[in-house]
Amino acid sequence: MKVNQLFQHIDQIDTYKRYGKIHRVVGLMIESKGPEASVGDVCLIHSSSRHGEKIMAEVVGFHNENVLLMPYSTIQDIAPGCLVEATGEPLQVKVGPELIGEVLDAIGRPLTGGALPKGLKDYPTDQMPPNPLSRPPIEEPIQVGVRAIDSLLTVGKGQRIGIFAGSGVGKSTMMGMIARNSTADLNVIALIGERGREVREFIEKDLGEEGLKKSIVVVATSDQPALMRIKGAYTATAISEYFRDLGYNVNLMLDSITRVAMAQREVGLATGEPPTTKGYTPSVFAILPKLLERTGTNHNGTITAFYTVLVDGDDMNEPIADTVRGILDGHFVLDRRIAEQGRYPALDVLKSISRVMKGITSEEHQQAATEVRQLLATYEENQELIQIGAYKKGTSREIDRAIHYHPSIIQFLKQGIHEQVTHQETLNHMFELLRGNKVNG
């Protein structure tokens, strides 16, 4: 029986190699006459350099029977008439437990320039999101290791969260804290569109040796072609899916989804799509839900996903921020005003929400979190009166309580970069705070 199956498999193998020729290059786009290929397939362009290197490119569309390709690298050695070889397959990356501790590029090659570990298997980067009915509900909290989150914005295993912030407010620092302190089995960290200087800085300072031991880092820097920045997000998501299917509880941290959208806009404009909201093309708003819905729970394991969203001028309603917020299961807002006060993490608890918190926390935890939020909100509403001395003590019992608890709450929400705290310790601190005991953050 096995022999028959083997013969059937041999019969189905395509023994022909299909070629085309470069016709023209316009900006980022390469047009070729042939080969026969489908959208999403990888092709190899035989470059004109003396070394005869093959440049990987992807089919992104068609125009007047010509194939439109975008390269994964620069197009310096591409000339008219260069051969284009079809592989007949979409991009696949090598995955396996041996990758843990590695730093990879957007198509899964080690950034150190060495060889990949042995024993890995091929895995396609582009997958369909799971069937909604095959997703188990989120019922269990996961320790993030950031006191403000574990207490007031509890995250569940398999939840998808957006971290919204302007530049320089502490997104990378917070991601490093989560990677080191979380109880997840594995971190998959995608650095998309980062400055080259920041990559090593993040790995060595924010993530650290301890964090890297249980992490896989995927890097696509800002100088790389748009397609590589998009593929970085797809590769990181595919690696997370592979480990989820093995039964792992994975943390996927993607910094930033905004730069993925910008890269897709470049590709869309190059293929002739019309610009719509703020210059973003329709394909941007089509790929975002498809990419973000791939994470979450399945019957084997979970992917708890954190996507950072860059908000231009701290505008929370710009198109990408608005779209992403509507897809995800909650959002954390990092506030520049809080960062300027020297309070880190600069998390604005009142503007942030975890949509699954009620289903995964105890009644006692929910009551305590609501009380802390109310005290913070009351103080913020009356902050100006309190600071200029216009409020007289005894006028309102609620405001008096808010003033009394405010220093302890602020101390509780502050956390040092390398300060480790468990989920239970965080809850004990919060309960002590509300009982009036002084909390040392």
Side-chain angles (χ1 to χ4, degrees):
M1 188 66 183
K2 285 184 178 177
V3 175
N4 290 337
Q5 287 176 341
L6 191 61
F7 279 124
Q8 282 177 359
H9 188 63
I10 291 168
D11 287 339
Q12 289 168 1
I13 291 172
D14 187 357
T15 54
Y16 288 94
K17 279 195 173 182
R18 291 172 170 78
Y19 292 95
K21 280 192 175 183
I22 298 292
H23 175 56
R24 67 172 189 157
V25 176
V26 181
L28 304 170
M29 194 64 58
I30 300 166
E31 267 190 49
S32 73
K33 299 273 187 188
E36 189 181 311
S38 305
V39 171
D41 281 0
V42 173
C43 291
L44 302 173
I45 300 171
H46 295 243
S47 70
S48 58
S49 70
R50 283 177 296 175
H51 306 295
E53 292 171 357
K54 293 180 181 179
I55 297 166
M56 289 176 72
E58 187 173 305
V59 178
V60 293
F62 305 97
H63 176 67
N64 291 341
E65 298 183 12
N66 287 348
V67 179
L68 301 180
L69 300 155
M70 287 201 82
Y72 289 143
S73 57
T74 56
I75 55 174
Q76 291 168 342
D77 294 324
I78 293 174
C82 282
L83 283 180
V84 181
E85 180 186 336
T87 64
E89 291 181 343
L91 181 67
Q92 297 194 335
V93 290
K94 300 279 187 185
V95 292
E98 296 82 5
L99 277 185
I100 297 171
E102 291 280 348
V103 181
L104 310 171
D105 70 5
I107 52 177
R109 300 174 302 199
L111 266 190
T112 54
L116 279 167
K118 291 183 179 176
L120 304 177
K121 61 176 281 188
D122 287 327
Y123 198 80
T125 58
D126 199 356
Q127 305 264 5
M128 290 302 292
N131 184 320
L133 295 181
S134 71
R135 289 183 185 269
I138 298 166
E139 294 173 333
E140 200 181 334
I142 186 169
Q143 176 187 301
V144 171
V146 177
R147 206 164 27 232
I149 295 172
D150 283 339
S151 57
L152 306 178
L153 299 159
T154 311
V155 174
K157 285 181 183 176
Q159 187 174 354
R160 298 161 307 142
I161 291 286
I163 300 173
F164 292 73
S167 54
V169 188
K171 294 185 302 300
S172 298
T173 306
M174 183 188 259
M175 282 174 61
M177 287 173 74
I178 294 170
R180 289 192 309 273
N181 302 338
S182 169
T183 52
D185 304 320
L186 172 71
N187 302 306
V188 179
I189 302 167
L191 304 176
I192 309 297
E194 286 284 344
R195 303 174 190 89
R197 174 187 64 82
E198 287 183 334
V199 172
R200 188 164 181 177
E201 211 170 84
F202 174 81
I203 292 167
E204 291 181 1
K205 292 185 181 176
D206 294 327
L207 188 58
E209 193 179 334
E210 180 192 340
L212 188 58
K213 279 179 189 172
K214 64 166 195 171
S215 302
I216 298 167
V217 183
V218 178
V219 176
T221 49
S222 56
D223 59 298
Q224 291 184 315
L227 206 58
M228 283 289 267
R229 282 174 271 144
I230 297 167
K231 288 299 164 190
Y234 278 75
T235 295
T237 307
I239 292 170
S240 303
E241 288 169 320
Y242 170 80
F243 282 100
R244 175 179 63 185
D245 291 343
L246 290 181
Y248 282 68
N249 292 313
V250 184
N251 272 354
L252 169 64
M253 286 175 267
L254 200 156
D255 182 17
S256 76
I257 198 70
T258 309
R259 294 196 184 109
V260 176
M262 287 175 173
Q264 181 60 40
R265 175 173 63 185
E266 283 181 46
V267 173
L269 291 171
T271 53
E273 280 188 75
T276 53
T277 320
K278 276 204 171 179
Y280 287 103
T281 56
S283 63
V284 174
F285 303 102
I287 72 150
L288 281 176
K290 191 182 168 192
L291 178 63
L292 302 179
E293 285 290 347
R294 285 169 61 181
T295 54
T297 60
N298 74 3
H299 288 298
N300 300 316
T302 63
I303 301 172
T304 307
F306 299 88
Y307 299 99
T308 67
V309 183
L310 281 168
V311 283
D312 291 336
D314 298 324
D315 174 19
M316 292 298 296
N317 296 315
E318 62 99 32
I320 300 304
D322 212 31
T323 304
V324 170
R325 192 166 50 238
I327 298 166
L328 300 178
D329 311 316
H331 53 271
F332 299 159
V333 178
L334 300 185
D335 195 315
R336 194 175 299 280
R337 179 178 51 85
I338 295 172
E340 285 164 357
Q341 292 169 6
R343 198 174 104 205
Y344 287 98
L347 188 63
D348 190 328
V349 171
L350 298 177
K351 287 181 184 172
S352 305
I353 190 169
S354 168
R355 291 195 178 118
V356 305
M357 182 175 172
K358 283 189 179 177
I360 59 172
T361 51
S362 66
E363 194 74 32
E364 185 188 17
H365 182 171
Q366 286 172 39
Q367 286 174 357
T370 302
E371 196 173 341
V372 171
R373 277 175 166 272
Q374 285 172 346
L375 290 166
L376 267 175
T378 302
Y379 188 90
E380 275 209 10
E381 282 169 17
N382 300 279
Q383 190 170 15
E384 286 185 13
L385 291 174
I386 296 163
Q387 286 179 342
I388 63 171
Y391 174 74
K392 289 183 181 178
K393 192 176 179 182
T395 308
S396 164
R397 191 179 167 191
E398 280 184 17
I399 298 174
D400 288 345
R401 281 190 80 234
I403 293 169
H404 172 72
Y405 279 105
H406 193 256
S408 298
I409 292 172
I410 295 304
Q411 190 64 31
F412 172 74
L413 295 176
K414 277 185 183 178
Q415 188 172 339
I417 293 172
H418 296 286
E419 184 185 343
Q420 292 189 333
V421 59
T422 66
H423 189 72
Q424 194 54 52
E425 284 171 350
T426 294
L427 295 187
N428 292 342
H429 275 197
M430 182 166 65
F431 298 144
E432 283 175 25
L433 183 153
L434 293 172
R435 284 197 291 267
N437 300 332
K438 190 172 180 182
V439 175
N440 296 316

